[in-house]
């Protein structure tokens, strides 16, 4: 096994790390306070090639592998998780399924502006009554000439109001369940796409998240991803991949909390010596760092496996589950180590605590990951390598 990053991977990681340290981290608290979407930062991210990481170069993308993408998302989240989630969404749940399932005509039409960062993207999957249970979604579609019309409501849509192209899931007949679901690429800059006011969230406050109503929203003929009735397969494949981004975000948030905890425990003195020199504190920091490293290498392995052409559902779910749960434990511990200061907005760990909470919820809750893993364990050949 070779655990060394390649030259290109190291270069991208270091470049994004510097950008996150110099451009994202200094203004993260102010953006959290205002809740304003940082359009200027996203323009810079586009210029750096970070808004089309997974798209082939012939469509204007950077053509990065999944591990390089995960490294970039981790570093962005270390600087500001609100920015990282917007970058992850436009790359992973929008551009990746278009690249994988879209027609050549669709790719040529929508990927270049997305990959160059001229527009952002997202996915319209969750609904007010359908989250983990995708088969129960109620947004419908019907044929209209050579295209389609979509009607329904979508909830918790990241990049809504600031993005243009969205992968949208809809059913042709509620009675068909999963067999009736198809996946489309919807242009949100049209009449019939109503974006509601941003949600007032606990964390990730400068990431735009809205409810969206579709009223006879038009999808062009080439906007169908894959075949009709195969939308569930598109969604599940996309979620397998997008969990890598959530796991990477979790690593970045956890690392930021680890950085803050170490800094504070080295500087803060109690009973005549730095906190880190007290055994209970030192041991806790050691456990935090060990858990973080374990989550990091499972995430990197999942990203590596995703490029090998085989099934990586299990490892992706494991990485998302472990990384997101680990991030929440590490951030909570960092707040505790700060004592009363950890409860103050003057300290970074307070924001990290709020940002981390959603990591075990979106892109499939921890409970859903365990359901997926339990099902796969039933199918597992105990004599086969993991």
């Amino acid at each position: 096994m070779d655990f060394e990053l390649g030259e290109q991977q190291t270069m991208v990681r270091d470049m994004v790390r510097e950008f996150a340290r110099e451009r994202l981290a200094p203004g993260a608290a102010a953006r959290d306070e205002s809740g304003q979407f940082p359009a200027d930062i996203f323009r810079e991210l586009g210029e750096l090639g970070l808004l089309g990481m997974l798209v082939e170069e012939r469509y204007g993308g950077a053509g990065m592998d999944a591990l390089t993408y995960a490294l970039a998302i981790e570093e962005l989240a270390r600087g500001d998780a609100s920015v990282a989630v917007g970058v992850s969404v436009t790359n992973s749940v929008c551009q990746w399924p278009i690249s994988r399932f879209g027609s050549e005509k669709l790719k040529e039409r929508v990927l270049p502006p997305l990959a160059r960062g001229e527009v952002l993207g997202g996915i319209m999957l969750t609904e007010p009554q359908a989250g983990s249970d995708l088969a129960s979604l109620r947004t419908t579609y019907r044929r209209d000439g050579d295209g389609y019309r979509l009607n329904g409501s979508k909830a918790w849509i990241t990049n809504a109001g600031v993005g243009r192209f969205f992968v949208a899931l809809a059913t042709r007949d509620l009675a068909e369940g999963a067999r009736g679901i198809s996946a489309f690429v919807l242009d949100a800059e049209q009449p019939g796409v109503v974006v509601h006011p941003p949600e007032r969230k606990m964390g990730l406050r400068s990431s735009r998240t809205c409810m969206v109503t579709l009223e006879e929203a038009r999808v062009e003929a080439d906007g169908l991803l894959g075949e009709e009735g195969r939308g569930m397969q598109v969604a599940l494949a996309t979620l397998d991949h997008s969990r890598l981004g959530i796991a990477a975000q979790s690593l970045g948030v956890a690392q930021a909390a680890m950085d803050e905890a170490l800094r504070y425990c080295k500087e803060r003195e109690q009973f005549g010596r730095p906190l880190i020199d007290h055994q209970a504190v030192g041991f806790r920091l050691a456990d935090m760092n060990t858990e973080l490293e374990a989550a990091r290498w499972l995430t990197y392995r999942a990203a590596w496996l995703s490029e090998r052409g085989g099934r990586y559902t299990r490892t992706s779910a494991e990485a998302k589950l472990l990384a997101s749960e680990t991030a929440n434990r590490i951030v909570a511990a960092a707040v505790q180590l700060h004592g009363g200061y950890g409860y103050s907005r003057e300290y970074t760990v307070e924001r990290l605590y709020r940002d981390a909470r959603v990591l075990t919820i979106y892109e499939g809750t921890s409970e859903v990951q365990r359901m997926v893993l339990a099902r796969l364990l039933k199918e597992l050949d105990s004599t086969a390598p993991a």
Side-chain angles (χ1 to χ4, degrees):
M1 293 185 185
D2 184 1
F3 290 93
E4 293 295 324
L5 298 177
E7 182 179 351
Q8 179 76 9
Q9 292 167 332
T10 302
M11 183 182 71
V12 170
R13 183 201 62 189
D14 292 348
M15 180 268 289
V16 180
R17 179 176 293 173
E18 182 179 1
F19 179 84
R21 182 174 59 244
E22 295 183 359
R23 188 71 179 91
L24 298 187
R31 290 189 295 274
D32 173 74
E33 192 70 27
S34 70
Q36 292 297 309
F37 179 80
D40 56 336
I41 286 176
F42 274 81
R43 281 192 291 271
E44 294 177 47
L45 290 166
E47 293 169 1
L48 291 172
L50 298 177
L51 297 183
M53 286 187 271
L54 301 169
V55 174
E56 295 177 66
E57 292 181 14
R58 63 191 175 117
Y59 299 116
M64 296 180 189
D65 63 277
L67 178 53
T68 307
Y69 160 74
L71 291 165
I73 295 298
E74 178 182 351
E75 294 300 332
L76 291 173
R78 189 175 178 181
D80 186 351
S82 288
V83 172
V85 67
V87 174
S88 178
V89 164
T90 195
N91 275 284
S92 187
V93 290
C94 180
Q95 295 174 56
W96 187 86
I98 294 172
S99 298
R100 178 79 177 270
F101 300 102
S103 67
E104 189 62 29
K105 184 179 179 182
L106 176 67
K107 293 177 188 178
E108 291 176 350
R109 179 164 65 89
V110 305
L111 284 180
L114 282 165
R116 291 192 297 262
E118 296 168 4
V119 297
L120 296 177
I123 190 168
M124 294 185 182
L125 191 153
T126 304
E127 299 184 358
Q129 302 300 323
S132 300
D133 181 13
L134 297 181
S136 66
L137 65 81
R138 305 188 69 80
T139 296
T140 59
Y141 75 89
R142 60 178 173 79
R143 286 188 173 274
D144 178 46
D146 61 351
Y148 306 87
R149 295 284 179 177
L150 274 59
N151 288 276
S153 296
K154 297 292 184 179
W156 301 104
I157 307 305
T158 301
N159 290 343
V162 295
R164 178 173 179 182
F165 295 114
F166 290 80
V167 173
L169 277 289
T171 183
R172 62 192 166 199
D173 187 340
L174 297 177
E176 290 190 73
R179 293 187 301 276
I181 296 174
S182 296
F184 304 91
V185 175
L186 173 73
D187 187 340
E189 293 184 355
Q190 63 167 298
V193 179
V194 181
V195 178
H196 298 272
E199 300 287 351
R200 299 177 63 191
K201 308 190 300 282
M202 174 192 296
L204 302 180
R205 285 176 36 79
S206 67
S207 170
R208 187 67 63 86
T209 309
C210 309
M211 178 172 282
V212 178
T213 301
L214 305 178
E215 300 172 346
E216 293 291 289
R218 171 80 176 176
V219 172
E220 300 302 323
D222 67 2
L224 178 68
L225 289 180
E227 303 173 3
E228 277 197 65
R230 304 285 290 179
M232 184 63 80
Q233 286 78 2
V234 172
L236 293 177
T238 300
L239 289 171
D240 279 348
H241 193 276
S242 69
R243 285 170 184 146
L244 303 175
I246 305 304
Q249 289 175 49
S250 301
L251 297 178
V253 173
Q255 185 63 63
M258 192 75 209
D259 295 342
E260 294 297 323
L262 279 171
R263 183 181 302 111
Y264 183 82
C265 291
K266 288 176 182 178
E267 295 174 355
R268 175 75 167 173
E269 290 192 0
Q270 289 286 280
F271 304 104
R273 53 182 175 158
L275 280 175
I276 196 170
D277 289 343
H278 294 271
Q279 189 179 73
V281 173
F283 279 15
R284 189 162 198 177
L285 289 167
D287 286 342
M288 290 160 64
N289 197 63
T290 301
E291 287 189 57
L292 176 55
E293 283 296 291
R296 174 172 285 124
W297 287 103
L298 180 57
T299 299
Y300 290 0
R301 181 172 186 267
W304 178 83
L305 281 175
S306 75
E307 297 285 344
R308 296 301 178 272
R311 189 179 183 190
Y312 61 98
T313 299
R314 173 184 158 199
T315 315
S316 176
E318 288 172 338
K320 198 274 184 184
L321 174 63
L322 180 63
S324 62
E325 293 283 352
T326 296
N328 273 272
R329 287 194 296 271
I330 288 176
V331 176
V335 170
Q336 189 73 17
L337 288 169
H338 276 70
Y341 292 116
Y343 203 63
S344 167
R345 289 204 173 187
E346 297 299 316
Y347 284 75
T348 300
V349 290
E350 185 273 340
R351 171 173 52 82
L352 295 174
Y353 189 84
R354 290 183 287 107
D355 285 348
R357 190 60 195 88
V358 75
L359 295 169
T360 61
I361 298 174
Y362 61 9
E363 302 294 313
T365 64
S366 291
E367 291 73 20
V368 166
Q369 306 311 314
R370 293 184 177 104
M371 287 169 54
V372 169
L373 292 168
R375 186 184 71 245
L376 292 174
L377 286 172
K378 286 178 62 178
E379 305 169 3
L380 185 65
D381 179 354
S382 60
T383 64

